[in-house]
Amino acid sequence: MPELGRRAVHASGAVVPLAWLFGLVAWRWVEWILVCGLALGAVLEYLRLSGRAEWAVYDRLTREYEQEHLAGYFLYVVGMAVTGLGFPPHVAAPAMLLLALADPFSGMLHAGGLDRKPLGVMAATFALCVVLGVTSGVALLPAALGALGATLADGLSPTVRGHVIDDNLTIPIVAASAMWIGVQLA
């Protein structure tokens, strides 16, 4: 059940880019939401890591390896904020959707933890990412490049100095970078 809860929380992040894509909010409001979310996340993560907050939700929604390191939810917020503030909206919103929707989809297909994901799972993730990109208004080439970036960020977990770089941080940034390059080429 904790995995289902984590995936539901993950997918709930789609509300922010979808609100912009459906024309419900201006991009400046998305940016404000991202900045406020980042500030709130930083405070919550400080409280959690310092031991000043020991809420049951942390036990249910964080993984064992996150107990003494930055949690995935915070890296998710950082990845979304960097993407939303660092890229134009037509690239940032689809990249944020890839994190919110394709990452939990991929996780449902492969519950192997931090292992490299099988080729079939990566192919399914790539296909979903292309569909999400194109339905978000991105042309096929940039959508495919963004999908490739998101799929590789999701399927391969790089390690730096013994720390796994969480895909919640890398998926939107890599996907947005690849989409932006694709838009420049198209």
Side-chain angles (χ1 to χ4, degrees), residues 8-144:
V9 169
H10 221 289
S12 71
V15 169
V16 174
L18 285 174
W20 179 77
L21 285 166
F22 288 135
L24 301 175
V25 296
W27 191 253
R28 72 176 185 282
W29 286 106
V30 170
E31 291 173 324
W32 277 109
I33 291 166
L34 294 171
V35 167
C36 291
L38 185 59
L40 177 62
V43 169
L44 291 174
E45 197 59 357
Y46 168 76
L47 293 173
R48 183 185 73 83
L49 289 172
S50 68
R52 295 182 181 171
E54 295 184 20
W55 298 320
V57 71
Y58 287 138
D59 295 332
R60 286 193 297 275
L61 296 179
T62 57
R63 294 188 166 101
E64 182 68 33
Y65 66 88
E66 297 172 327
Q67 297 304 314
E68 303 208 6
H69 301 287
L70 292 175
Y73 82 88
F74 181 65
L75 296 172
Y76 182 103
V77 172
V78 171
M80 292 282 244
V82 167
T83 302
L85 299 171
F87 292 92
H90 66 280
V91 167
M96 293 160 68
L97 278 181
L98 300 187
L99 172 61
L101 300 176
D103 187 32
F105 169 77
S106 172
M108 288 187 318
L109 296 178
H110 177 69
L114 297 176
D115 300 337
R116 183 173 296 153
K117 294 191 175 161
L119 189 56
V121 171
M122 291 178 73
T125 302
F126 175 80
L128 176 60
C129 289
V130 170
V131 168
L132 289 171
V134 170
T135 58
S136 297
V138 178
L140 184 57
L141 174 64

